[in-house]
Amino acid sequence: MSSPAPKSPELSDKSRKYDRQIRLWGEHGQTLLENAQICLINATALGAEVLKGVVLPGIGGFTIVDHLMVTEEDVGCNFFLDLGSVGQPRAKRCMQLLRELNPDVNGDYIDEHVEQLIDNQPDFFRSFDVIVATSISERTIVRLSNVLWEQSIPLIVARSIGFYGVARLQVREHCVVETHPDNKQTDLRLEHPFEGLRKHMDETELTSKVPWLVVLYKVLYEWVAAHDGRFPANYREKCEVRELIETKMSGEQENFEEAIKAVNSSFGGGKPSSAVMEILEDNRCVNINKESNSFWIMARALKDFVNNEGKGLLPVPGVLPDMTADTISYIKLQNVYRSQAAHDAEIVFRRARQLLKELNKPNDLITEKDVRLFCREAANIAVVRGSKIADEFEKGHRAPNIASGLETPNSLMAHYLVLRALDRFQAEYGCVPGESEAESDTSRIKSLAGKMLSELGIGALISDDLVYEICRYGGAEIHSISGYMGGCIAHELIKLVTKQYRPFDNTFIYDGSTSQTEVFKL
């Protein structure tokens, strides 16, 4: 069968260009990405690699803030600088070469120190969706963290030095509709069948051509009738259901075999999980106001549905897994679920519209398409609430977490502390450790790390080898390490911008010498 003609050459070209990533986050995710603006502070090798990872998939635009000129050292580790760039503004040259990767992306630069922007134009950052800062001083980290926390703009602070890398995410609140969980459970409503499903099952005969869901439904309710209306609640009882299905088989029947395999994973759909209930009971959901965003308004509409029409259950998602069956039988069953999903989503949509009216918000803030997606993903919605990076510089912050990490074998928590000590070293001595004398700086770094541990009330010691490893590079970046870290951070940027997948929470450490990564919540 021939393919339909594309709506326009432009759409066709764009779809071909971004086809693989659109399969991951959909057209709506791509649209959000193309409308996003990213600000990079300091065009280091790591910073350039981060931007590369969002320029290639088509970020709307980026701005580089960097007051430094290109040096020969920069050219040695940054693929987006060349010898002809030496002596020129680093922000300008990186911007020019990054734009060559994708003509669809807009690039800009500001040849100023970020501290000047914080002092003179604190609202400058409001035009960006995410800020990424690389290799900035301890003082700047604290100031930038406080400014962006108040403006509710996500911030990622990152550094790459030698074989080590660290990234810290600060996000006040991040709401995710499409979390894409690894083991997503299909909501089939076997224990709580809606009227349309009961009617369809009653009218469908059990044959070798029907979907396995029909087989499981009929056998399940035969088992329930023989057990005083109870549903199987443990492994033994589910084994009984499987055995009952086997008695109905006559020879090799693939749909019956699929039904047997599906027994363990087909129950429990419809009821909100504890994580979802926590969102529905959250104060921002219960007491929505004019400041509430579309996520919380839809969450409130969902809550009202669960408490009323849903009778304690979420809307039917309307998604079925693949099943061996004849086409007509499968499509009929699929339409039953889709019809109920559309019915439930319509109720939630009407309630959302009513809430928008009560709050004097525009009707087009929430579309029917938005609500259908929200209802489809309702079982896995998530809200991520982070902590302020500036708080980490206060005495005693997260001391139990740090102490626990240091006691864990092969943990990278010591790397985090040494990298923090590096920031402190720069603040006190005005240079990076190892830039002149690695041996003497090693003792200074160890002393600073020990002082930090003492402030936290922790008696652990930091390895001499780890401290020396930080000092022997003299603050230099290794491109392969920065490339890896840049790719990881770009992934997190895309998660934040598309509002899909959960971002890491909240500190990511990489040791390239052992190929080990770890995430801490600090």
Side-chain angles (χ1 to χ4, degrees):
M1 190 170 77
S2 60
S3 300
K7 292 181 181 178
S8 70
E10 181 184 357
L11 179 62
S12 176
D13 291 344
K14 190 174 178 181
S15 296
R16 281 199 297 269
K17 182 175 182 177
Y18 298 125
D19 177 65
R20 287 185 297 173
Q21 63 205 44
I22 288 173
R23 293 169 188 262
L24 288 176
W25 51 71
E27 292 279 1
H28 56 294
Q30 184 65 26
T31 299
L32 288 171
L33 187 68
E34 291 172 7
N35 291 330
Q37 294 290 324
I38 302 295
C39 176
L40 170 69
I41 297 169
N42 292 338
T44 59
L46 174 57
E49 290 297 323
V50 172
L51 286 184
K52 181 188 78 174
V54 292
V55 167
L56 287 171
I59 195 77
F62 66 89
T63 298
I64 300 175
V65 177
D66 193 339
H67 67 291
L68 296 176
M69 299 295 167
V70 178
T71 64
E72 290 186 1
E73 183 182 338
D74 291 326
V75 176
C77 64
N78 191 333
F79 280 12
F80 291 93
L81 295 171
D82 52 29
L83 285 173
S85 306
V86 174
Q88 297 185 43
R90 191 165 67 172
K92 179 181 180 181
R93 286 302 293 150
C94 262
M95 180 274 293
Q96 291 171 335
L97 293 172
L98 280 162
R99 282 195 64 191
E100 292 181 7
L101 293 175
N102 192 339
D104 295 339
V105 175
N106 296 315
D108 198 0
Y109 74 95
I110 295 178
D111 188 14
E112 284 185 38
H113 196 292
V114 66
E115 292 267 4
Q116 291 178 278
L117 292 175
I118 295 173
D119 289 334
N120 303 324
Q121 303 178 58
D123 288 337
F124 163 81
F125 302 103
R126 292 187 185 277
S127 59
F128 298 99
D129 296 277
V130 188
I131 311 296
V132 180
T134 66
S135 299
I136 59 175
S137 69
E138 190 176 77
R139 177 178 183 271
T140 307
I141 290 173
V142 173
R143 295 194 66 198
L144 191 62
S145 168
N146 286 323
V147 168
L148 297 181
W149 183 263
E150 290 304 314
Q151 296 178 0
S152 296
I153 300 171
L155 165 67
I156 296 179
V157 174
R159 181 186 288 277
S160 172
I161 179 167
F163 276 97
Y164 302 145
V166 60
R168 168 66 157 88
L169 169 64
Q170 171 182 293
V171 59
R172 192 159 191 163
E173 180 182 272
H174 181 62
C175 303
V176 188
V177 176
E178 295 174 89
T179 55
H180 301 276
D182 292 335
N183 300 306
K184 187 173 182 179
Q185 183 182 20
T186 306
D187 181 4
L188 300 174
R189 298 296 163 97
L190 287 173
E191 302 102 309
H192 307 283
F194 47 91
E195 186 178 344
L197 180 60
R198 280 197 299 268
K199 182 180 178 183
H200 177 80
M201 293 298 185
D202 290 342
E203 294 174 351
T204 305
E205 293 184 11
L206 200 57
T207 69
S208 61
K209 301 295 185 181
V210 298
W212 63 256
L213 184 55
V214 177
V215 177
L216 181 54
Y217 179 95
K218 288 184 175 290
V219 173
L220 172 65
Y221 277 89
E222 183 179 329
W223 187 93
V224 168
H227 291 78
D228 301 321
R230 285 190 309 105
F231 286 92
N234 53 49
Y235 180 74
R236 181 182 58 80
E237 291 178 344
K238 288 178 181 178
C239 283
E240 291 178 9
V241 175
R242 279 195 288 268
E243 290 167 2
L244 188 56
I245 294 173
E246 289 176 357
T247 65
K248 307 289 183 182
M249 293 176 65
S250 56
E252 291 186 6
Q253 294 178 299
E254 199 168 349
N255 57 341
F256 280 78
E257 292 171 0
E258 288 180 352
I260 291 170
K261 292 176 182 177
V263 168
N264 274 346
S265 59
S266 299
F267 301 132
K271 288 188 176 181
S273 65
S274 58
V276 172
M277 283 305 300
E278 190 175 332
I279 293 172
L280 299 185
E281 297 301 329
D282 192 286
N283 184 58
R284 296 202 64 184
C285 179
V286 176
N287 300 309
I288 57 172
N289 53 52
K290 290 183 179 180
E291 303 301 318
S292 298
N293 60 28
S294 59
F295 177 93
W296 287 113
I297 295 171
M298 288 191 288
R300 174 56 190 273
L302 176 67
K303 175 183 173 66
D304 292 343
F305 174 89
V306 171
N307 292 339
N308 296 286
E309 295 88 350
K311 298 178 181 178
L313 300 176
L314 296 168
V316 172
V319 179
L320 285 184
D322 290 336
M323 303 179 191
T324 299
D326 66 82
T327 304
I328 294 175
S329 296
Y330 182 77
I331 290 176
K332 280 184 178 179
L333 181 61
Q334 192 176 52
N335 287 338
V336 168
Y337 279 89
R338 285 181 175 175
S339 176
Q340 186 63 35
H343 173 267
D344 291 352
E346 176 62 26
I347 295 172
V348 177
F349 178 60
R350 286 202 304 268
R351 178 58 181 148
R353 278 288 177 91
Q354 183 184 350
L355 292 169
L356 289 173
K357 185 176 180 180
E358 292 172 3
L359 297 170
N360 291 320
K361 284 179 168 282
N363 269 341
D364 59 359
L365 179 66
I366 297 173
T367 66
E368 189 172 2
K369 188 176 180 181
D370 295 333
V371 173
R372 287 194 175 193
L373 176 63
F374 196 88
C375 290
R376 191 189 76 196
E377 302 293 334
N380 299 294
I381 58 173
V383 174
V384 177
R385 289 192 174 113
S387 59
K388 189 161 60 170
I389 296 175
D391 291 344
E392 290 181 30
F393 296 87
E394 296 180 2
K395 290 184 179 181
H397 179 76
R398 299 279 187 180
N401 297 38
I402 294 172
S404 175
L406 291 172
E407 292 170 1
T408 304
N410 301 318
S411 170
L412 297 182
M413 182 60 78
H415 293 61
Y416 163 77
L417 285 166
V418 171
L419 289 164
R420 278 283 309 278
L422 182 148
D423 292 333
R424 186 71 54 85
F425 184 100
Q426 281 187 283
E428 292 194 9
Y429 297 101
C431 62
V432 292
E435 198 168 26
S436 54
E437 294 184 15
E439 294 296 337
S440 59
D441 288 347
T442 298
S443 60
R444 290 173 179 171
I445 280 278
K446 189 166 185 181
S447 174
L448 289 170
K451 186 178 178 182
M452 289 171 59
L453 287 169
S454 179
E455 290 172 355
L456 293 167
I458 299 171
L461 297 175
I462 300 295
S463 159
D464 289 343
D465 292 340
L466 181 57
V467 175
Y468 179 73
E469 188 70 18
I470 284 287
C471 292
R472 79 185 182 99
Y473 283 98
E477 291 185 69
I478 298 175
H479 181 265
S480 58
I481 303 299
S482 294
Y484 176 82
M485 284 293 296
C488 292
I489 295 168
H491 287 168
E492 301 308 312
L493 285 178
I494 291 169
K495 291 176 187 178
L496 292 167
V497 166
T498 62
K499 297 179 173 60
Q500 296 187 39
Y501 301 90
R502 286 173 179 264
F504 71 85
D505 188 17
N506 52 24
T507 303
F508 175 79
I509 306 284
Y510 173 54
D511 182 345
S513 64
T514 60
S515 297
Q516 184 181 355
T517 61
E518 194 166 354
V519 174
F520 303 109
K521 186 163 186 176
L522 298 171

